[in-house]
Amino acid sequence: MKKRNIFAVCDLEVAYAYNFMEYVNQKRNMPFEVQAFTSPVHLCAFAREQPIELLLISDKAMCPEVKGLPIRKIIILSEGVHDPGLDQYPSVYKYQSSDSVIREVMACYGEEVAQPAQLEVLKKETKVLAVYSPVGRCQKTSFALALGQILAQQRAVLYVNLEEYAGFEQLFGRQYEKNLSDLLYYIRQDSSNLIFRVNSMVQTFQNMDYLPPALSPMDLMAVTSEEWTRFLEVLRRQSGYQVLILDLGSCVLELYSLLEQCSRIYMPVREDPVAKAKVEQFENLAQMWDCGDMLKKVKKLTLPYHNSSRQGSSYLEGLIWSQLGDYVRELLREESL
């Protein structure tokens, strides 16, 4: 069986090294096997037996012996000020969240390694689930986020919002340094480091990973069918994600093509005449464009009304314990997901 490439972490602070290793290994999307070392001697002994692709090492542990190892990429774990002799290596600040350290390390690796090692994660097939509806105000995104959080309790899940206006910065009360717009640029440039670009952007909420949505609808409208296919293929082959959830809006110009690549399409609907007319038009257009087989994947959902006085991330946390969350759990049992 093909092994994953080694991401080594070396820090003289024992608790930090092992806690970081355990945390990263729990993130099932990582395309590396993480090994922790608490002395450069043990690191060098290991490196003589197995190749190391990526090394994150504290400035205090760095030594001439480590510099001489055939390691593809070395990154310094800095406490703020380090020996100027280490300036030849990129560095990340040690005392920040582990998620932030991981994102910075993946960004350094993806940007500075021109042709990274080809990674293919051995796993079961990634299920690509779409959540889409031509009907407005049908709780589509609340359903998609409840679905993602509940699935993430047992599986590695990536949620990707492809709506015109996702409002995530307002919802989570934070700003993102990078978002899906940046990733789409790298896809368009045919970047060979795409999976590391993904890992440098991904955020986590309630065990569910998500990509910060695009800031402009125009960025989504410009993506071709071939570019969406490449994006999905990279996630299927090189990520550890078992489930990918696409929360789709109508601004995706290649909407039908993207829906055809999904294994299941959940479509929240409403019972009023206008909503029914919109769904019928969607289905008629799919038939006109020879996408009839795609319609077989659609499961229409009449969701229970969810109302909450909570705001921001507390609203999202409450979704899984609401009536909507109970509905999602029952749906997953029916669907054997």
Side-chain angles (χ1 to χ4, degrees):
M1 180 180 292
K2 183 180 178 181
K3 294 184 178 180
R4 290 187 293 176
N5 290 297
I6 300 295
F7 172 11
V9 179
C10 184
D11 193 331
L12 303 182
E13 188 179 336
V14 176
Y16 184 94
Y18 285 105
N19 288 339
F20 185 81
M21 177 186 71
E22 290 180 4
Y23 182 80
V24 177
N25 278 331
Q26 287 174 2
K27 294 182 74 65
R28 289 164 287 186
N29 65 305
M30 289 295 291
F32 292 101
E33 175 186 337
V34 182
Q35 295 286 344
F37 302 91
T38 57
S39 79
V41 174
H42 295 151
L43 171 66
C44 291
F46 179 90
R48 285 191 287 269
E49 299 295 328
Q50 293 192 54
I52 295 175
E53 177 70 16
L54 174 61
L55 171 63
L56 178 63
I57 184 169
S58 69
D59 49 358
K60 295 177 181 177
M62 194 60 166
C63 63
E65 289 76 16
V66 172
K67 291 181 180 180
L69 294 173
I71 297 174
R72 189 177 181 91
K73 189 66 187 174
I74 296 177
I75 299 172
I76 302 299
L77 187 62
S78 174
E79 297 184 11
V81 179
H82 56 254
D83 186 341
L86 299 179
D87 287 346
Q88 61 181 301
Y89 303 106
S91 65
V92 300
Y93 182 58
K94 178 178 179 179
Y95 298 114
Q96 58 180 323
S97 70
S98 295
D99 278 334
S100 295
V101 172
I102 293 168
R103 283 194 293 270
E104 290 188 25
V105 168
M106 291 298 102
C108 287
Y109 183 79
E111 289 175 3
E112 299 190 31
V113 176
Q115 292 294 327
Q118 293 299 310
L119 302 174
E120 186 162 341
V121 178
L122 297 176
K123 59 174 178 177
K124 293 183 179 179
E125 180 183 1
T126 300
K127 288 188 176 295
V128 182
L129 308 178
V131 182
Y132 172 75
S133 179
V135 179
R137 302 302 299 167
C138 58
Q139 304 185 97
K140 176 179 71 68
T141 292
S142 292
F143 167 80
L145 289 167
L147 177 68
Q149 290 180 75
I150 291 171
L151 282 171
Q153 293 173 347
Q154 301 293 331
R155 302 187 185 187
V157 175
L158 178 65
Y159 167 91
V160 183
N161 188 292
L162 301 178
E163 294 183 300
E164 297 92 324
Y165 300 100
F168 271 37
E169 291 194 346
Q170 293 74 20
L171 191 60
F172 285 96
R174 59 179 301 181
Q175 292 185 331
Y176 302 104
E177 291 184 9
K178 296 180 180 180
N179 57 58
L180 186 59
S181 295
D182 300 293
L183 186 60
L184 294 175
Y185 169 79
Y186 295 126
I187 293 173
R188 196 164 294 115
Q189 298 301 311
D190 199 25
S191 171
S192 60
N193 304 349
L194 195 57
I195 190 60
F196 304 107
R197 304 290 189 183
V198 171
N199 288 329
S200 72
M201 298 178 192
V202 74
Q203 307 283 327
T204 303
F205 180 78
Q206 298 288 86
N207 292 325
M208 178 190 74
D209 284 356
Y210 69 94
L211 289 172
L215 291 180
S216 169
M218 280 69 79
D219 294 333
L220 297 175
M221 294 172 66
V223 185
T224 66
S225 176
E226 292 75 16
E227 289 164 347
W228 284 127
T229 298
R230 180 163 182 264
F231 172 60
L232 295 180
E233 187 65 15
V234 167
L235 291 174
R236 285 190 181 107
R237 293 173 60 87
Q238 297 184 9
S239 81
Y241 291 115
Q242 297 165 295
V243 180
L244 173 62
I245 298 175
L246 302 180
D247 186 356
L248 289 156
S250 296
C251 73
V252 177
L253 294 186
E254 299 291 347
L255 175 64
Y256 285 81
S257 174
L258 192 52
L259 288 172
E260 284 186 310
Q261 299 185 61
C262 300
S263 54
R264 193 59 154 155
I265 303 166
Y266 294 115
M267 180 180 289
V269 297
R270 297 171 63 179
E271 296 301 319
D272 62 275
V274 173
K276 291 180 178 179
K278 290 183 178 183
V279 172
E280 184 177 351
Q281 181 180 351
F282 168 84
E283 293 172 339
N284 290 340
L285 189 57
Q287 296 288 358
M288 288 173 57
W289 288 352
D290 295 324
C291 297
D293 289 342
M294 177 266 290
L295 294 177
K296 298 175 183 178
K297 303 176 184 178
V298 173
K299 185 175 182 65
K300 296 176 184 175
L301 309 174
T302 303
L303 302 177
Y305 179 68
H306 175 66
N307 187 25
S308 173
S309 60
R310 294 182 178 186
Q311 299 292 319
S313 60
S314 63
Y315 168 80
L316 303 180
E317 292 173 0
L319 285 173
I320 61 175
W321 307 116
S322 67
Q323 189 177 359
L324 181 59
D326 293 339
Y327 179 94
V328 169
R329 277 184 281 271
E330 180 60 32
L331 174 67
L332 294 176
R333 281 191 287 269
E334 293 176 1
E335 299 273 282
S336 299
L337 284 174

